[in-house]
Amino acid sequence: MKKKYYLPLGLLIQIVLVQIISFFPEFIEGFYSNGLYASISSFSRIIFGFIPFSIGDFGYLFAILFLIIGYIKNRKIIKLSWKDRSLKILSYFSVFYFFFNILWGLNYYRVPLFEKLKIEKEYSNEDLLIFTKQLIAKTNSIHSQITQNDSVKVVFPYSQEQVFEMNLKGYQSLSKQIPSLNYKHSSIKKSLFSLPLSYMGFSGYLNPFTNEAQVNDKIPMYNFPTTLTHEMAHQLGYASESEANFIGFLASINNENLYFQYSGYNHALHYCLSNWKFNDEVQFKKLLKTVHPGIIKNYKESEDFWDNYESFVETGFHLFYDRFLKMNQQKDGIDGYSRFVDLLVNYYKNKNL
């Protein structure tokens, strides 16, 4: 067999192996997520964490430029030797797929968080209603402590750099309750692609190759803490968006700072209210009347921000990411973000916030 077929064939073999190994989540959990990956991610954060800018973003930029320049130089050859060019593309993708899975991607197949925390998967409307009312009361209370006026929105008093440092306290506190969520060696960066991310509709992302947590530095500041704690959960190996949302929420509310707690409770409340709006408009309107006007103004602040960047680009990238998640055993796709309500309700069932 000619060498040009090796890597494309390797891609097929990798896909088959990943599908087989996905049937053994306990093995992934023990050998990979809490073993190999834990060492790789810790090493990556030590190596890249102290650098003030995103190495991963520069890597993506150079990759994009490489592809563009390569296409311009070889566009005539592409038309004449489509078979060889296709094999070369498959070879590149084979290498990409290998490093993606080794450096982070296999976390998609680890043991689900609800199993590790020994909580249920299902809940009733009554369970959701009880939890939502508790969440409203808690969010209202923290909002009042901060603003002293229920009609005033929360204005975040800290810089983005301060949030990077202060977010660590939430994880330190959370790890005392759940030791496996101990976060060390910070590697959190403002993305060089914050403007494109805004048009794509994303608040942040994890670079799976450098393990840097990237945040869109244009989003409203009150959203900043939960965006970061979400991406930090991905760094700990929780690939599921619903699980990262849940862990990010816990890290935010376990922070001693009221503004960080507000960010977490506000974030969770938005998901619960959205759930009611989608499933029961009448109940949604009743619940919304009990939420402080200032909290609703913060929601409007976020809504206005995303409206300013709404475009066909966002739709396209959301469809792409939805498909990507489904290919990696996240059957709900991009809707999996909202599945975090399932974890919330069942985690707090029979206990107070």
Side-chain angles (χ1 to χ4, degrees), residues 102-118:
I102 290 296
L103 296 177
W104 190 74
L106 290 179
N107 285 309
Y108 279 112
Y109 311 103
R110 69 187 302 180
V111 175
L113 187 60
F114 77 88
E115 288 186 17
K116 289 187 285 187
L117 295 179
K118 295 180 172 59

Side-chain angles (χ1 to χ4, degrees), residues 92-242:
Y92 286 143
F93 192 75
S94 180
V95 174
F96 169 88
Y97 189 71
F98 173 80
F99 282 107
F100 171 77
N101 281 304
I102 290 296
L103 296 177
W104 190 74
L106 290 179
N107 285 309
Y108 279 112
Y109 311 103
R110 69 187 302 180
V111 175
L113 187 60
F114 77 88
E115 288 186 17
K116 289 187 285 187
L117 295 179
K118 295 180 172 59
I119 58 178
E120 300 174 17
K121 290 188 69 175
E122 305 299 328
Y123 61 88
S124 66
N125 278 343
E126 182 64 23
D127 293 328
L128 178 59
L129 184 59
I130 291 172
F131 176 74
T132 305
K133 287 181 177 179
Q134 288 182 349
L135 194 53
I136 290 172
K138 189 71 175 182
T139 312
N140 281 345
S141 174
I142 295 177
H143 176 265
S144 292
Q145 291 179 65
I146 293 174
T147 64
Q148 307 298 315
N149 186 332
D150 65 7
S151 297
V152 175
K153 74 176 184 178
V154 169
V155 178
F156 219 71
Y158 306 107
S159 68
Q160 294 172 345
E161 287 72 18
Q162 287 175 308
V163 174
F164 290 163
E165 293 296 326
M166 297 170 72
N167 252 352
L168 298 175
K169 295 180 180 179
Y171 269 99
Q172 290 169 359
S173 178
L174 178 60
S175 67
K176 295 175 182 178
Q177 304 171 39
I178 309 175
S180 62
L181 297 180
N182 186 26
Y183 182 97
K184 294 181 179 179
H185 312 305
S186 175
S187 183
I188 310 168
K189 314 287 180 69
K190 290 187 283 189
S191 177
L192 301 176
F193 304 132
S194 288
L195 183 60
L197 284 175
S198 297
Y199 282 106
M200 291 159 59
F202 291 105
S203 296
Y205 74 97
L206 173 72
N207 188 304
F209 304 104
T210 61
N211 212 253
E212 295 168 295
Q214 316 284 345
V215 63
N216 179 344
D217 64 10
K218 297 186 179 301
I219 63 174
M221 276 305 300
Y222 86 94
N223 292 138
F224 223 72
T226 46
T227 297
L228 281 178
T229 51
H230 175 104
E231 301 307 332
M232 291 163 75
H234 281 322
Q235 287 180 307
L236 291 177
Y238 290 89
S240 163
E241 297 299 346
S242 60

Side-chain angles (χ1 to χ4, degrees), residues 9 11 53 79 107 148 171 203 219 273 286 304 312:
L9 179 60
L11 175 60
F53 56 87
K79 295 178 181 178
N107 285 309
Q148 307 298 315
Y171 269 99
S203 296
I219 63 174
L273 290 174
K286 289 181 181 178
D304 289 344
F312 71 93

Side-chain angles (χ1 to χ4, degrees), residues 38-68:
S39 298
I40 291 174
S41 62
S42 180
F43 178 76
S44 296
R45 294 200 298 275
I46 291 172
I47 293 297
F48 298 117
F50 74 95
I51 302 174
F53 56 87
S54 173
I55 294 296
D57 278 356
F58 271 109
Y60 283 151
L61 182 61
F62 289 142
I64 292 170
L65 291 175
F66 173 79
L67 291 174
I68 293 174

